[in-house]
Amino acid sequence: MELIALTRALMAENAALKAEVAQLRERVVKLERLVSRNSGNSGMPPSADDLPGRKKPKDRTAGSTGRRRPGKQPGAEGRALAWSDKVADGDIIDHYPQGPCGCGADLALASDLGVTGAHQQIEIPLVVARRFQHNLHTVVCRCGRVHTAPRPAGVSTAPVGLGVNLQAWCVYLLVVHAIPVHRCAELVASLTGAEPSSGFVHGLIGRAAAAVAAANARIRMMLTLAYVVCCDETPVRAGPKKAKKYLLVACTDLLTWYNMLGGRDLDTFKRFVLAD
């Protein structure tokens, strides 16, 4: 009986020791993790690297560490702006010294010794919206028939409208850069002086979609005939309540077809593949 009691006591003591060892191991792991932190692998300030037990971070600029040096890498292709001889004559501006010389003579009367220095500057012209007026004249032929000039393509039927280039700019900002409608209208107004309304800018999305509908249909047909097509889906938040929808994409090396359809059910994929 005493042997059995002693065995049970040793087993209980052994279990307690195992639990204590497990706790100590966990504490050691935490302490090692804390001690290993420095300014190179955490948000600690560099002044804390000198504390007892801390390891200083490795020199990232040393070539022997195998890590990339900051900045341009040796042998990398440069990206400096290159000189170009293709400059329009109207964009070449000559500058001459002005004012009086030390002798009192006017430098405007001095002899030109030629160009001794040249600097090229890449710049964009100031973008200012201009207003064009299209007058549609009506003429009468000798035979008595009356003819009126047709309205040019791209000109709105309204008395005053926005041009095609300005509309394309708005669509580019909306679709490619995902700029909100009201911010797009404000951006165009700030940069060009034109003041499109938010409602007009929002309506351009549907008009642009209708304009490229035929091209999209042809792209979809060519993707259907392709041997290999890459497909993917991306969840997005859309609609007034930010409901979760899926953007389905099918593409090859040359063609891309995408459409916002809705859920991940079989009917959605059938509409995406077979018909709208």
Side-chain angles (χ1 to χ4, degrees):
M1 296 295 295
E2 294 180 359
L3 183 58
I4 295 176
L6 178 60
T7 302
R8 291 179 176 176
L10 291 175
M11 293 176 61
E13 184 178 357
N14 187 33
L17 290 175
K18 288 183 177 180
E20 185 176 356
V21 169
Q23 294 178 359
L24 291 175
R25 287 179 177 175
E26 185 178 355
R27 293 182 60 185
V28 169
V29 171
K30 291 182 179 179
L31 291 174
E32 289 179 346
R33 185 169 60 251
L34 292 175
V35 172
S36 64
R37 296 176 60 193
N38 51 47
S39 60
N41 56 20
S42 67
M44 296 180 59
S47 59
D49 295 337
D50 296 329
L51 295 177
R54 299 284 183 183
K55 293 183 179 181
K56 294 186 177 181
K58 296 181 180 180
D59 186 6
R60 296 185 177 181
T61 61
S64 59
T65 60
R67 307 187 70 172
R68 288 169 55 92
R69 296 182 178 182
K72 181 178 177 293
Q73 303 301 308
E77 182 181 357
R79 296 296 181 182
L81 297 177
W83 184 273
S84 176
D85 296 330
K86 298 180 180 180
V87 181
D89 294 338
D91 294 334
I92 299 178
I93 306 173
D94 294 312
H95 300 273
Y96 298 91
Q98 298 179 356
C101 179
C103 65
D106 189 358
L107 292 178
L109 304 177
S111 299
D112 185 11
L113 300 180
V115 178
T116 56
H119 304 271
Q120 291 185 351
Q121 185 180 47
I122 301 176
E123 182 61 285
I124 59 174
L126 181 62
V127 180
V128 179
R130 298 169 57 186
R131 185 180 293 261
F132 299 89
Q133 180 173 326
H134 298 271
N135 294 328
L136 307 183
H137 287 261
T138 301
V139 297
V140 58
C141 182
R142 292 180 179 179
C143 66
R145 296 179 180 178
V146 178
H147 302 270
T148 301
R151 176 171 45 86
V155 177
S156 173
T157 57
V160 180
L162 298 179
V164 176
N165 291 339
L166 191 56
Q167 297 179 39
W169 196 6
C170 293
V171 174
Y172 171 75
L173 295 175
L174 291 171
V175 177
V176 178
H177 295 281
I179 297 180
V181 171
H182 68 283
R183 291 184 58 188
C184 178
E186 294 175 355
L187 179 61
V188 172
S190 299
L191 296 180
T192 68
E195 298 181 353
S197 64
S198 298
F200 177 82
V201 173
H202 183 270
L204 289 175
I205 300 178
R207 295 170 60 182
V212 299
N216 284 339
R218 177 166 296 184
I219 291 174
R220 184 173 185 173
M221 177 192 66
M222 296 178 68
L223 284 173
T224 305
L225 299 176
Y227 288 101
V228 179
V229 179
C230 176
C231 298
D232 192 17
E233 61 177 3
T234 301
V236 294
R237 298 287 182 180
K241 296 183 179 180
K242 301 298 181 182
K244 186 176 182 180
K245 296 184 179 181
Y246 290 88
L247 177 65
L248 304 182
V249 180
C251 62
T252 62
D253 293 339
L254 300 176
L255 304 171
T256 301
W257 162 261
Y258 59 90
N259 195 3
M260 184 80 69
L261 291 178
R264 305 180 68 184
D265 52 277
L266 181 58
D267 292 338
T268 297
F269 288 101
K270 286 182 177 180
R271 291 197 305 270
F272 176 68
V273 175
L274 299 178
D276 289 332

